[in-house]
């Protein structure tokens, strides 16, 4: 009887220890499986993001090639149009011709800036721009448009830190596009404000208007081609701006919008 009791206790202890070991093995295997699943999910997310970035890079590269071809093709035609407008004799239609002359001059300026930017990229030109210089360029490029619309145009701050000319050129193009949209959305007597900031390892630029805001149904699709909140708009400006921003480690997003105005924010990462 004593031997049987000892055997029973020994058997129970053995079974208990064995069960505990098996439970430990099962629990450890479960957590290892969960960890492996989490790692696989993270890698899948990184792969999806990498594929998305590659797709955007390919689109931006194609956009650059098309733009380069388009700009060089337009140079001669616009120069000829400008010569015709400039040589027009004064007459009853003079105000219309003055307007046309203003448009051709603006188009020529845009073409020159774009061709210069493309040339800098192709030849790897090396120069730097500070945040203050960028702010001055943005002010100079857009002040005339704002004054013509009767909109107050304010550019604030800037920063001492520099960035290379290619990134600076693209930033100016993106910011100017946001500013032009804001001026178009703001009624005469309103205000458009551009604010430059440098914070730690990134720089940010906000563009704020005093328009009527962006419709709720359009907000999720702002950066998709063909989506525009302006009558007659192509819906390409913000989509192209986002593509260009990604080429310089930057992002463009809608910061806020409502009946009293809209703010877009451009953030340039890895900036010191």
């Amino acid at each position: 009887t004593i031997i049987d009791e000892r055997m029973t206790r020994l058997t129970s202890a053995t079974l208990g220890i064995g069960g505990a070991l098996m439970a430990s093995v099962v629990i450890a295997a479960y957590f290892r499986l969960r960890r492996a699943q989490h790692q696989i999910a993270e890698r899948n997310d990184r792969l999806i993001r990498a594929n998305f970035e590659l797709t955007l890079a390919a689109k931006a590269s194609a956009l650059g090639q098309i733009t380069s071809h388009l700009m060089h093709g337009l140079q001669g035609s616009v120069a000829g149009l400008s010569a015709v407008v400039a040589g027009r004799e004064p007459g009853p239609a003079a105000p219309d011709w003055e307007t046309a002359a203003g448009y051709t001059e603006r188009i020529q300026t845009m073409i020159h800036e774009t061709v210069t930017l493309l040339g800098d990229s192709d030849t790897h030109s090396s120069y730097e721009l500070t945040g203050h210089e960028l702010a001055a360029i943005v002010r100079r490029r857009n002040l005339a448009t704002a004054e013509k619309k009767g909109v107050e145009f304010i550019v604030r701050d800037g920063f001492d830190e520099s960035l290379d000319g290619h990134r600076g050129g693209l930033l100016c193009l993106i910011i100017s596009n946001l500013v032009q949209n804001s001026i178009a959305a703001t009624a005469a007597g309103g205000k458009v404000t551009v604010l430059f900031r440098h914070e730690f390892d990134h720089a940010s630029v906000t563009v704020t208007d005093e328009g009527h805001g962006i419709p709720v149904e359009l907000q999720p699709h702002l950066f998709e081609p063909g989506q525009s909140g302006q009558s007659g708009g192509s819906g390409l400006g913000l989509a192209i701006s986002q593509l260009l921003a990604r080429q310089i480690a930057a992002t463009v997003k809608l910061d806020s919008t409502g009946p009293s105005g809209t703010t877009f924010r451009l953030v340039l990462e890895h900036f010191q």
Side-chain angles (χ1 to χ4, degrees):
T1 302
I2 296 175
I3 294 176
D4 290 339
E5 290 178 357
R6 289 179 178 176
M7 290 296 295
T8 300
R9 288 197 296 270
L10 182 60
T11 300
S12 298
T14 302
L15 290 174
I17 294 172
L21 289 173
M22 290 182 63
S24 300
V25 170
V26 170
I27 292 173
Y30 170 76
F31 283 108
R32 287 178 182 175
L33 180 60
R34 288 290 301 273
R35 190 181 304 112
Q37 289 176 334
H38 183 67
Q39 291 175 346
I40 291 172
E42 286 184 342
R43 290 173 182 173
N44 284 339
D45 288 340
R46 287 198 295 267
L47 181 60
I48 291 171
R49 286 197 297 269
N51 286 335
F52 182 65
E53 295 295 335
L54 286 173
T55 301
L56 287 175
K59 289 181 179 179
S61 177
L63 175 65
Q65 295 175 10
I66 293 171
T67 303
S68 179
H69 175 76
L70 178 61
M71 291 299 103
H72 286 290
L74 281 174
Q75 277 182 304
S77 299
V78 174
L81 176 60
S82 179
V84 171
V85 172
R88 179 71 177 180
E89 293 295 332
D96 292 334
W97 281 101
E98 290 176 3
T99 301
Y103 280 127
T104 55
E105 181 179 356
R106 180 181 173 189
I107 292 171
Q108 281 185 307
T109 301
M110 293 172 62
I111 290 174
H112 174 72
E113 291 173 350
T114 306
V115 170
T116 300
L117 178 62
L118 292 169
D120 289 344
S121 178
D122 291 340
T123 59
H124 305 286
S125 298
S126 178
Y127 61 93
E128 292 188 343
L129 293 170
T130 68
H132 298 294
E133 290 171 328
L134 287 174
I137 292 171
V138 169
R139 182 184 294 108
R140 185 172 64 251
R141 289 184 178 180
N142 298 282
L143 183 58
T145 302
E147 290 178 344
K148 185 175 181 179
K149 180 77 179 292
V151 172
E152 183 181 3
F153 183 50
I154 301 173
V155 182
R156 291 178 176 168
D157 296 330
F159 39 81
D160 296 326
E161 291 76 12
S162 301
L163 65 163
D164 65 86
H166 179 62
R167 297 180 86 190
L170 284 178
L171 275 179
C172 285
L173 286 178
I174 297 167
I175 296 169
S176 291
N177 177 59
L178 296 176
V179 169
Q180 293 293 325
N181 287 347
S182 294
I183 292 173
T186 303
K191 180 171 60 178
V192 171
T193 304
V194 181
L195 177 62
F196 284 77
R197 286 284 178 84
H198 178 220
E199 302 174 3
F200 303 108
D201 64 342
H202 71 273
S204 67
V205 182
T206 56
V207 180
T208 303
D209 64 45
E210 294 184 349
H212 298 295
I214 299 172
V216 175
E217 63 274 10
L218 185 61
Q219 293 176 24
H221 308 287
L222 277 177
F223 300 99
E224 298 175 8
Q227 302 294 327
S228 176
Q230 299 181 22
S231 177
S234 64
L236 291 175
L238 287 176
I240 291 175
S241 294
Q242 188 69 284
L243 286 174
L244 294 176
R246 291 184 179 275
Q247 302 310 301
I248 54 174
T251 55
V252 181
K253 67 177 182 179
L254 175 64
D255 207 33
S256 63
T257 187
S260 60
T262 298
T263 297
F264 280 92
R265 182 180 299 272
L266 170 64
V267 178
L268 180 65
E269 301 290 350
H270 310 303
F271 180 74
Q272 297 179 344

